[in-house]
Amino acid sequence: MDRPWFTDKNFTSLEIRKDRSLANHTVVRSITVTDTGYIGKFAARIEQIPPDGDMMISFSGDAEHLTLIFFSGSKAQEIDVIQKGFKTPSTGFNSKNDYEKELYAEIDALLFPAIDRIVPKVEGLLLDFGDFSLCYKGTRFEDLAPVTLSFHIAEFTFADKKGNTELIEIYAGQVPPEPFILKASGLIILTFRSKEERRLYPDFFQVVAALPSSASARIV
């Protein structure tokens, strides 16, 4: 019988930690996610990985190493990610596959957000892009019918290194959300489709330096 990935799914937080290597546990970057909606969905995606694995692998001490720590109150459930592969509950690994690569890329984007990277919307998590930071504050629904259209409004806060902050509101209704240009920096937030034409809405966003040729934008 397959061992489950999780024995307790009442998640309260998720710590994502990257060590210098498998042998060197110096922490390079660590974040804590408290958005339980996101944690639950991400855990459900991990559960789609076969829990027994199809191989045993020995790694060198220099191998890349991440740890996912899912907290349910004081109970912690850990998953090791080594060389972009998820160590299964049976302590094995699955053959390299695109599904695990996508999950890894999502984790890595939260740890190291950057221009052009596709990043998941995680409520309340401050994302440090180097010269600026962004924090997704959530999405609210405004029902203005029958007077006018109703909207889902995604809120972000933007802050630069000088301490200047700005509240960003991106509207989606009967038409998709437009690219959002930050006037001060010229950077653009995409929330519908990435510049590579990958669908982002409603769970991801991408910060880019230039608009895709087919896109129009709202400047603020």
Side-chain angles (χ1 to χ4, degrees), residues 26 43 71 79 96 196:
T26 302
F71 288 95
I79 297 175
K96 294 295 184 182
E196 301 85 8

Side-chain angles (χ1 to χ4, degrees), residues 32-210:
T32 299
V33 175
T34 57
D35 181 347
T36 55
Y38 174 80
I39 298 169
K41 288 190 289 186
F42 191 75
R45 291 163 64 197
I46 289 176
E47 289 182 308
Q48 299 303 307
I49 301 171
D52 278 345
D54 57 20
M55 63 177 67
M56 303 297 290
I57 306 176
S58 295
F59 295 97
S60 73
D62 293 331
E64 183 181 34
H65 181 230
L66 294 174
T67 306
L68 309 177
I69 309 174
F70 290 81
F71 288 95
S72 300
S74 59
K75 181 178 180 179
Q77 301 171 90
E78 294 191 13
I79 297 175
D80 290 311
V81 185
I82 305 173
Q83 292 293 100
K84 301 180 177 60
F86 287 68
K87 188 175 182 180
T88 68
S90 65
T91 71
F93 291 84
N94 290 286
S95 301
K96 294 295 184 182
N97 59 85
D98 290 340
Y99 186 79
E100 291 186 40
K101 288 179 182 177
E102 287 181 6
L103 291 180
Y104 172 85
E106 187 169 320
I107 298 166
D108 199 55
L110 289 175
L111 286 169
F112 303 101
I115 303 297
D116 292 337
R117 296 200 78 174
I118 293 175
V119 183
K121 292 176 180 174
V122 178
E123 190 169 341
L125 179 64
L126 185 67
L127 298 166
D128 185 356
F129 285 76
D131 293 333
F132 65 94
S133 63
L134 279 173
C135 182
Y136 172 62
K137 308 299 289 185
T139 297
R140 71 179 192 273
F141 177 67
E142 290 195 1
D143 187 359
L144 305 177
V147 177
T148 185
L149 300 176
S150 299
F151 296 96
H152 287 90
I153 305 170
E155 293 186 349
F156 296 81
T157 54
F158 171 92
D160 62 23
K161 291 301 183 182
K162 297 179 181 178
N164 300 313
T165 61
E166 182 179 354
L167 176 65
I168 299 165
E169 295 183 329
I170 301 178
Y171 289 72
Q174 291 186 332
V175 296
E178 296 178 345
F180 203 94
I181 299 178
L182 295 163
K183 190 174 182 180
S185 64
L187 295 170
I188 303 145
I189 302 175
L190 304 177
T191 58
F192 182 61
R193 288 195 182 278
S194 72
K195 71 174 189 177
E196 301 85 8
E197 291 298 317
R198 171 181 167 181
R199 183 177 175 89
L200 301 172
Y201 189 80
D203 296 321
F204 296 87
F205 72 96
Q206 183 185 41
V207 180
V208 297

